[in-house]
Amino acid sequence: MTITATEDTAERLARLQQHIEDLLREAKDRGASAAEASVGSSAGLEVSVRLGEVETVEHTRDNGLGITVYFGHHKGSASTTDLSPASLRDTVAAACTIAAQTQEDPCAHLADAALMARTIPDLDLYHPWPLGVDEAIRIAADCEDAARAYDARIVNSEGASLSTHMGLQVYGNSHGFIGGYPSTRHGLSCAVVGEDGDAMQRDYWWTSARCAADLDPARGVGERAAERTVARLGARQIDTRKAPVLFRAEVAAGLLRSLVSAISGGSLYRRSSFLLDHLNETIFPDFVRIHEQPLLPRGLASAPFDGDGVATWSKDLVSEGVLRTYLLDAYSGCRLKLPTTGNAGGVRNLSIDMGELDRAGMLALMGTGLFVTELMGHGVNAVTGDYSRGAAGFWVEHGEIQFPVEEITIAGNLKEMFAGLVAVGNDCDFPGSTRTGSWLIGEMTIAGE
Amino acid sequence: MNDPITIARDSILAPAGLTEHDLDRLLGLLAGSALDAADIYFQNSRLQSWVLEDGIIKDGNFSIEQGVGIRAISGEKTGFAYSDEITFPALAQAAEAARAIAGAGQHAQVRIANQAAVHRLYEPINPLVSLPDADQVALLKRVDAEARRMDSRVTKVSASVVAVQDIVMVLADDGTLAADVRPLVRLNVSVIAEANGRREQGGSGGGARADLGWLLLEDRALGFAREAVRLALTNLEAEPAPAGTMTVVLGAGWPGILLHEAIGHGLEGDFNRKETSAFAGRVGERVAAPGVTVVDDGTLAGRRGSLNMDDEGTPSQNTVLIEDGILRGYMQDKLNARLMGVRSTGNGRRESYAHLPMPRMTNTYMLAGTRDPQEIIASVDKGLYAVNFGGGQVDITSGKFVFSTSEAYLIEGGKIGRPVKGATLIGNGPDVLTRVSMIGNDLALDAGVGTCGKEGQSVPVGVGQPTMRIDSLTVGGTTA
């Protein structure tokens, strides 16, 4: 069996658009003053191989629709996985029933009609992979083989998985806006277990892309998973101390996600952000520029319009260390008395300007300190910025890795960590929509023995 | 109409026009000589929620998720396909896709038989209609008013109420035909308090497998509001937490998240069959101090983590994981139990029809000891008393786990002292419980808000424990 569209993509898009039109008409017929709806349909294949044998073959096929109706400034929402005509009518009715109980909220309305995307640029997001199950299994097996062959200390495996998905998403609202587009996403990941004496360690690696040709080679993904696993063997605790901390690029991306959360409209109007009232204030050193590119061709988070139908655009979130914009949708913008920034549904393809130094240069710049390669748990307080998380990584002296470290925590406050950012490396070496190198933070508290 | 199988037939099969004969045919198409096991999982899930913010009922949502997941197993191989279209041709196509895992084989005849329900831990009700919409909305307004009445430093209140009805039906090639109708309700309150230039959050909530009337009993809903305010005000006074290894006293109830992370996940059958768990091959060994007994118990009446049957149709049970400090066993689903030569413990759970089952916890807790909680605190000269937590996480292979405090105090000279800011606690699962030196007589279960994530699948769970003293645990504060 292969994953190919059974009907033309354009026809399927047209059918989903028809659903949207039916939903909006039904809402109007029931007396709604405005409405918005989205419909999605996706299909995919996921295979996993463990210890050289097939473990799972999953065929995925998901449908869903959601509608929000407005009666003046009262709103109600409903959703379903059933796209039959009867279900569409029932879902609209359910949303109207909800709206009868909600209260007047002056900000409960669609985004301004003038902001709707006028054109839907082709962002090159659709590259179906006509992949057979046997071929998928072979790629995953190659990936895992490379990991297991990498080092004699790789003694076990959680396996390798290959996935390919194609989806169609359509959004429309009663301004007359309707837009939809197809997209694909393919990925390969591998996790293996190493052993040294009594202790086991696990690590993983992955690749992800809109187009199969852009995926990293399977064997390379496996070798990287094994390399990371072996490097952790022999890890130990260190004493409690204060020290500089270098966040490896992929964990530094988590710090950017904390920034995004803190400057998102929902956190701000709920007063649940440590960056409340920081618009146009300096929050980073002056070399920092953080940029969003929603229209990036083949970008993993690209979208021509946001969840309100508003056209998206590129912008600096931070430049010269100053917070230039919040991330707002129509609702949170209204609550904060600011215009939407086209960020309904989140931020899309974030990047920080990278510095001159590679990994070795960043380690040398830190000198003696902790190189964090993994973080655990949810110890980030969004309201205060207080930060305390489980960590694993390497102890570094004079710019050289000494030994792997585990069962420690690192703690500080995000506001101080952002202000105390010393440098950003050019060692961006992980897949995904967020692009950053490693981050060197001046000082944090490390708790251990 | 008070029998789960009848309710499942009427709400899933009848609207789709599927008959008993169709089910026999479908299972016949799926099952075959080359397979070790096969099952079909029908689900119809409804959810309704209301959200209050800034004093008004701002939003509400109603959703229906419905579909069928079809699984075929040969050895360690699983083929899986699902459909949200419940028609015979769609299901037959999914069955063919799933069974391709085993290659060609003879189709088999399967006779399914109604399985008598073993448990009745909750009633097969629809909680969405258990309280009129207007009353649910009014309840949230009372919660909001109570939180604001408590203290003028409260500047924001948000609250939500959620009711879910999950109807599931399982057919398997071993003849299983079983159904469960699972109600689940929950209320959450979150407040922001501000004073002297500081802003802090406090949250509380609770839930059960019951109707929405449960929220009104014992003053629960308003109690959650008062608890959220108390936590936010406590956090306004919190000082930086200490950093380093020290004695930690964990309060009763929700701190049982320690057990869920430190040992629970590591004792799930899949990780032990694959020998990727730090606990693999250790049954019969000491992994905790004498007096420590930990169970996973899906049979508690009305609890959020309880199940009349798991998602493979196996009745839930009370499984001893650690008995008096000795590791006794793992939690199993059918696949891992078969491959390890043991019986399923009724822990085969899945987020929905679109996900594969795997071994998951239900309600995981430590049995009570004999100590007075006051005596436990009095025994500590210098340490941390942690009573509320946010989430946790574990690396089952290295055994390292974390959980983060949301309410904690210093202990100084045997007395509870100043509150400290949230800090992550980190330890090693296979030996943290060997450092338990005192166990309280005050076993409590959590209020019913826990959700566990594993391999991208979320399921409701419960935890619990008595007050307990751990002689050394690493506390991740900022004061080194």
Side-chain angles (χ1 to χ4, degrees), chain A residues 100-102, chain B residues 48 50 52 57 127-143 160-161 187 212-213 215-216 221-222:
Chain A
Q101 295 292 339
T102 57
Chain B
Q48 185 172 288
W50 299 102
L52 175 145
I57 302 298
L128 279 67
V129 297
S130 61
L131 200 62
D133 289 348
D135 291 7
Q136 297 182 44
V137 161
L139 174 64
L140 288 180
K141 288 184 186 169
R142 294 214 312 276
V143 162
S160 63
V161 60
L187 187 141
L212 285 163
L215 297 169
L216 302 170
L222 297 189

Side-chain angles (χ1 to χ4, degrees), chain A residues 103 269-271 335 388, chain B residues 53-54 57-58 194 424:
Chain A
Q103 289 173 280
Y269 84 74
R270 295 185 180 98
R271 300 185 68 77
R335 294 296 305 272
S388 166
Chain B
E53 256 183 26
D54 298 303
I57 302 298
K58 184 187 114 163
E194 302 186 43
T424 288

Side-chain angles (χ1 to χ4, degrees), chain A residues 50 55-57 59-63 77-79 81 103 156 269-271 335 377 386 388 409 445 448, chain B residues 53-54 57-58 60-64 66 78 80 82 84 156 194 199 245 274 393 421 424 474 476 478:
Chain A
R50 177 171 177 268
E55 190 171 47
T56 59
V57 175
H59 302 272
T60 72
R61 185 172 289 274
D62 296 282
N63 293 305
S77 305
S79 63
T81 53
Q103 289 173 280
N156 200 346
Y269 84 74
R270 295 185 180 98
R271 300 185 68 77
R335 294 296 305 272
D386 288 333
S388 166
T409 61
T445 304
Chain B
E53 256 183 26
D54 298 303
I57 302 298
K58 184 187 114 163
N61 185 57
F62 175 81
S63 72
I64 297 182
Q66 174 170 289
T78 300
F80 180 54
Y82 58 87
D84 44 30
K156 286 275 173 186
E194 302 186 43
R199 199 154 24 87
T245 296
K274 296 174 183 175
Q393 191 183 337
K421 287 172 174 252
T424 288
T474 301
T478 50

Side-chain angles (χ1 to χ4, degrees), chain A residues 263-277:
Chain A
I263 63 171
S264 291
S267 305
L268 294 162
Y269 84 74
R270 295 185 180 98
R271 300 185 68 77
S272 297
S273 165
F274 64 94
L275 292 178
L276 196 61
D277 304 324

Side-chain angles (χ1 to χ4, degrees), chain A residues 123 145 160 179 199 249 293 308 314 338 346 429:
Chain A
L123 302 180
D145 281 350
Q293 295 176 89
D308 292 331
S314 292
L338 291 166
D429 60 354

Side-chain angles (χ1 to χ4, degrees), chain B residues 412-424:
Chain B
E412 285 161 325
K415 293 199 164 49
I416 297 172
R418 293 158 293 160
V420 294
K421 287 172 174 252
T424 288

Side-chain angles (χ1 to χ4, degrees), chain A residues 1 50 53-64 67-68 75-82 90-91 94-95 97-99 101-106 108 156-158 193-194 199-202 232 237 240-242 269-276 331 335 374-379 381 383-384 386-391 406-413 445-449, chain B residues 48-50 52-67 76-84 93 97-98 101 133-134 137 141 155-156 158 192 194 199-201 243-245 271 273-278 280 353-356 390-402 404 421-428 431 435 474-480:
Chain A
M1 177 179 289
R50 177 171 177 268
E53 300 286 336
V54 179
E55 190 171 47
T56 59
V57 175
E58 299 188 41
H59 302 272
T60 72
R61 185 172 289 274
D62 296 282
N63 293 305
I67 177 142
T68 298
K75 82 173 192 180
S77 305
S79 63
T80 180
T81 53
D82 180 355
D90 290 349
T91 306
T97 303
I98 298 273
Q101 295 292 339
T102 57
Q103 289 173 280
E104 170 93 17
D105 178 348
N156 200 346
S157 171
E158 286 188 2
V193 174
M200 290 194 296
Q201 295 285 350
R202 163 205 184 276
R232 298 170 70 134
Q237 264 191 322
T240 300
R241 66 188 77 183
K242 288 189 187 272
Y269 84 74
R270 295 185 180 98
R271 300 185 68 77
S272 297
S273 165
F274 64 94
L275 292 178
L276 196 61
Y331 182 81
R335 294 296 305 272
E374 186 181 78
L375 292 167
M376 287 178 79
H378 314 277
N381 184 330
V383 181
T384 60
D386 288 333
Y387 187 94
S388 166
R389 303 190 69 192
E406 65 178 1
E407 205 178 337
I408 57 166
T409 61
I410 56 172
N413 180 283
T445 304
I446 300 166
E449 277 185 294
Chain B
Q48 185 172 288
S49 64
W50 299 102
L52 175 145
E53 256 183 26
D54 298 303
I56 61 166
I57 302 298
K58 184 187 114 163
D59 208 351
N61 185 57
F62 175 81
S63 72
I64 297 182
E65 272 187 55
Q66 174 170 289
E76 299 186 26
K77 298 186 179 72
T78 300
F80 180 54
Y82 58 87
S83 170
D84 44 30
Q93 191 191 352
I101 192 80
D133 289 348
V137 161
K141 288 184 186 169
T155 56
K156 286 275 173 186
S158 60
I192 297 279
E194 302 186 43
R199 199 154 24 87
E200 291 282 353
Q201 187 265 347
T245 296
F271 300 131
R273 170 175 67 82
K274 296 174 183 175
E275 299 185 324
T276 56
S277 166
Y353 65 90
H355 299 86
L356 277 167
Q393 191 183 337
V394 63
D395 175 333
I396 51 115
T397 302
S398 71
K400 304 300 175 276
F401 69 93
V402 295
S404 302
K421 287 172 174 252
T424 288
L425 275 47
I426 189 163
N428 184 39
D431 67 32
R435 298 184 201 146
T474 301
V475 176
T478 50
T479 311

